[in-house]
Amino acid sequence: MPLHVPPAPAPALRTVLTALGSPTAVREARTPSLRMAEGPVTPEHPLPVHVLDRTDPAGTSTRLAAWRFLIRCGERSVAAADTMLTPDGWAFSHFFEGPYITATERALRQAENMKQSFQPRLLSVPELYMLTLWLHGDCAADGATGHPAPSDLLVPLAPAPPGIASHRPHRFAEFLPLLTHRLTAAPLLSSPA
């Protein structure tokens, strides 16, 4: 089924296009593949990036942290660009590359082959150094708001934390207990009494 990508804020896209058009921004970016790209580069697949702030019996809490654009050159994505919300509106944050670019593309292709339609988002769990493709079941929802519904799918992107399989979809309601356990697990070493 097709994915229903939420529209990115126009100012966020403009800041990425401006950065891509700036030789200084591209040259100073720590993204060799972007600097060495031959041919035009275009921002595609805008995804809202939400951060999971809380998982406890009272519920979950997420917040919008960024809009991420995959930067495509030819047939593949070579980098990504993040934007952030400032008091003056959306601003370009940075370019980057690494394994999450390829993993995001793979998870998006995987989601396109599912029987149900979804709205793709990214959900970051900073305490676990984990990023997931969040497949939201309400395709008409505002991509900048909301929290995962019990039936939404989370697809951990590679590299995933130990014990969590990359690219294996999990219903949020079934995955939440694992996340809660991981986030509240006691430290391995205790301090001396």
Side-chain angles (χ1 to χ4, degrees):
M1 295 297 261
L3 294 176
H4 297 272
V5 179
L13 176 58
R14 274 195 304 273
T15 65
V16 171
L17 290 170
T18 300
L20 284 170
S22 165
T24 304
V26 172
R27 189 173 48 251
E28 292 179 2
R30 295 181 182 171
T31 52
S33 59
L34 182 58
R35 287 194 309 267
M36 295 184 298
E38 295 181 16
V41 292
T42 56
E44 296 182 358
H45 297 294
L47 296 170
V49 180
H50 295 261
V51 175
L52 185 64
D53 282 330
R54 187 185 78 208
T55 59
D56 59 36
T60 58
S61 172
T62 62
R63 63 182 162 79
L64 180 67
W67 276 85
R68 178 166 297 164
F69 298 80
L70 296 180
I71 307 299
R72 183 170 292 281
C73 180
E75 296 297 315
R76 66 183 191 94
S77 294
V78 296
D82 270 3
T83 61
M84 62 183 177
L85 189 57
T86 69
D88 295 325
W90 287 99
F92 171 74
S93 175
H94 62 283
F95 292 116
F96 65 95
E97 61 185 51
Y100 285 133
I101 307 300
T102 306
T104 301
E105 281 191 307
R106 177 181 169 187
L108 287 168
R109 282 192 308 272
Q110 183 180 354
E112 287 172 346
N113 292 323
M114 293 180 176
K115 293 179 181 175
Q116 182 180 347
S117 293
F118 291 103
Q119 182 188 83
R121 303 170 177 200
L122 294 172
L123 182 65
S124 173
V125 186
E127 293 88 349
L128 297 179
Y129 300 100
M130 184 171 76
L131 185 64
T132 69
L133 179 64
W134 167 14
L135 298 172
H136 191 52
D138 182 357
C139 296
D142 179 356
T145 62
H147 57 277
S151 61
D152 286 355
L153 295 178
L154 295 182
V155 182
L157 301 180
I164 296 176
S166 299
H167 298 287
R168 181 171 171 251
H170 302 272
R171 294 248 176 251
F172 182 71
E174 297 161 0
F175 200 50
L176 184 59
L178 174 63
L179 289 178
T180 303
H181 175 72
R182 287 283 186 102
L183 292 171
T184 59
L188 295 175
L189 299 173
S190 60
S191 58

